[in-house]
Structure formats: C-alpha cells, structure tokens
Amino acid sequence: MFETIADPADCEVRSVIRFLNAKEVKPAEIHRVEIYGENVKTEGMVRKWVRQFNDGRTNVRDEARSGRPSVVNDGLVAKVNEKIRENKRFTIRMLFGEFPQISKTVLHEIVTNRLNYRELCSRWDPKMLTDVH
C-alpha cells in the first residue's frame, strides 16, 4: 500500500510525531506507524517528543548545545599566517612545534581552509594568486 521512506531526517520524524499528536493519536499508536521503517524511532523517544509538544514546544529542530569551545580565532589565524610568511617551506609538523597547544589536525584546517594555502612542490602557496602576489 505504501513504501517506507529510507533514512529520514530527525526533524521529519518529529514533524510527523507533532502532527499525529495534534490529531490526538496516542504515543503507542504513533510508534506503530511504519512509514519510516522499524528502527527509526523508539516508543520512549516518541513519548518524550509528545510530552515536549504538549508542554508547548513547537520547534522540531534540534536546539543548539554547548560543546567544546573552538580554539581557532582570528588572532590565532593571523599568528599562523605570520609564521607561514616567515618560512614558506614549512610543514605542519614545524607549525606544531611553534604552536604546541593546537593539534596538527586543527593547524592543517587553519592552513587549508581558513588561509586557503595548498601544497605546491613542497611549498605552500595561496590558492588564489593576485597581481600583488
């Protein structure tokens, strides 16, 4: 009669829970709706969301959570860029020696994503060269 929807987004499932809850469908019956397959939602999760919607929640998206604060800021990026300009034949390991409080992965992300450098014949150059360069 209907096909199951593979890999639904969490907010999509919560929207269905909110809709069925507004139609006063019991949480156990909402759990039995198999449009998303069997392993998408547990009965406890359905009950939790029904309770939140009954308490006045209207947003089906995840709320922002606090996490580990980022160590990357504009000042740090400027310092890394300054070290790179001092010696263009640098390695991430050499930068790690200069900035031991920052992991090599984060340094690589700063160099490639924030500063837009790429490796070119064992020398890092900006991806976008201008007339000044």
Side-chain angles (χ1 to χ4, degrees):
M1 186 155 150
F2 60 87
E3 293 182 31
T4 59
I5 298 172
D7 198 27
D10 289 341
C11 61
E12 184 179 356
V13 175
R14 292 175 195 149
S15 296
V16 171
I17 294 170
R18 182 174 177 214
F19 174 76
L20 293 173
N21 182 49
K23 291 193 137 242
E24 297 182 1
V25 178
K26 303 273 188 231
E29 293 173 23
I30 295 173
H31 173 67
R32 284 190 222 114
V33 174
E34 294 180 5
I35 202 164
Y36 296 115
E38 297 176 9
N39 297 324
V40 173
K41 58 190 181 310
T42 63
E43 191 170 352
M45 189 263 300
V46 172
R47 289 183 188 282
K48 176 187 112 176
W49 281 101
V50 165
R51 194 175 325 112
Q52 288 185 12
F53 291 135
N54 288 338
D55 289 342
R57 181 175 177 150
T58 58
N59 189 3
V60 294
R61 303 236 182 245
D62 288 328
E63 294 176 348
R65 296 184 289 177
S66 64
R68 187 172 189 176
S70 177
V71 295
V72 180
N73 56 34
D74 292 336
L76 178 65
V77 172
K79 288 178 186 176
V80 170
N81 194 24
E82 184 180 315
K83 285 293 180 185
I84 291 171
R85 292 191 181 272
E86 286 176 10
N87 178 15
K88 288 242 180 183
R89 296 185 183 273
F90 74 94
T91 62
I92 299 297
R93 185 170 287 163
M94 289 168 58
L95 281 178
F96 182 67
E98 296 288 329
F99 302 99
Q101 72 276 13
I102 305 166
S103 70
K104 293 176 189 169
T105 306
V106 172
L107 283 171
H108 189 270
E109 284 183 28
I110 290 172
V111 170
T112 57
N113 297 339
R114 297 285 295 266
L115 296 174
N116 291 325
Y117 284 100
R118 63 183 171 89
E119 189 173 7
L120 179 67
C121 299
S122 74
R123 200 174 111 180
W124 291 78
D125 287 323
K127 289 181 184 177
M128 302 293 290
L129 294 175
T130 62
D131 294 331
V132 176
H133 294 107

